Amino acid sequence: MSAFILSPDTVWNPKALATGSVPRKVLHRIAFLPKGGGLGLNLRVIMENEPLRYFIALSPFVIAMFIWRDLALPISQAPVAMIIVIGFFEMKVLRVSAEKRKTLMEEDEAARVLDTLSYRARRVLTKLAALRGQTSGEVMLVVEQSELAHVTPLTLVSLQTRDGKPRILSLTPEERELIAAELFDEEFTERILHTANLREDVYLRSVSFDARGVSGHARLAALLDSPAPQEAPV
C-alpha cells in the first residue's frame, strides 16, 4: 500500500485537519475519511481505531457465546480474561516489545534510512517551492507512520507550515503526484522507514525547508517541467 498524501483536498472531512501547531500528528488524534485510495486504504485507516481492534480481539468470546449458549453468561462476566486477551493482542500481536525493537535494524542502518528520508524530503520541498514560485516562508514535509508493527504500514505524508497560521496545506494533483513519485520508490520503501521508526519508537518525522533556499536552477527546472498553457479555443 502506497503512502497516502494527506491534505484538505484528499479527505472528506477537511475541517478535521485544522490545527494550532505543526507538525500536526494525525493518527490517534483525529478521525479522517480518505478520498480514493481503494478499499485497502480505508480498511487500514479503520484498523487504527482502538475500539474496533478491541472488538476483533474479543471476537472469540462472542463466537464462544453463540456456540456454547449455556456458558454465555459466565463468558460475558469474565472481564479479567478479556483484558488479558486485549493486552496480548495489542502488545504482542500488533506491536513489537521494547526488547525486540533494537533487533529489527542496526543503528547505523536506521541512521542511513533517516538520512535518506531527510535528503528526499528536502528535494521534494525544493521542487514544490519552485513549482509554486515561492520565494519566502518555511514549509515542512511531515511523514507519519502507524505504530502498529505486524500489519501493512500506514504512511501519511503532508505539507505543513506555521507561516500565517499553522495548517496542513492543500496540494494540487500535480504536487501530490510529485510527492508520490519522489519520496518513496522500490529502493526506499515505506516498510524500510517503518522498520527504522519501530526501532527508534518514533513515528512522526518532519523536514523543514526555507523557500529562500530555492536556487535559480531549481526554479528554471520547475518552469521547464511545468505543463505548457493551453491555447484558448478559436
Side-chain angles (χ1 to χ4, degrees), residues 11 23-24 27 45 60 85 99 111 125 127-128 155 181 210 214-215 221:
V11 297
R24 174 70 153 109
L27 297 176
V45 170
V85 169
E99 296 77 17
L125 289 167
K127 292 185 176 183
L128 287 175
T155 306
D210 190 333
V214 181
S215 66

Side-chain angles (χ1 to χ4, degrees), residues 133-193:
Q134 188 174 348
T135 58
S136 63
E138 183 184 56
V139 291
M140 62 181 67
L141 197 70
V142 179
V143 182
E144 181 179 2
Q145 292 190 307
S146 168
E147 63 188 43
L148 302 183
H150 299 129
V151 291
T152 303
L154 175 60
T155 306
L156 306 181
V157 182
S158 60
L159 187 66
Q160 304 184 19
T161 185
R162 59 173 57 90
D163 289 345
K165 66 175 182 178
R167 64 197 185 281
I168 297 176
L169 295 171
S170 295
L171 295 165
T172 66
E174 292 76 19
E175 290 170 336
R176 296 197 297 269
E177 184 178 346
L178 186 153
I179 294 173
E182 297 280 345
L183 191 58
F184 295 105
D185 56 25
E186 293 181 357
E187 294 182 358
F188 181 67
T189 65
E190 295 97 320
R191 187 171 292 279
I192 290 174
L193 176 62

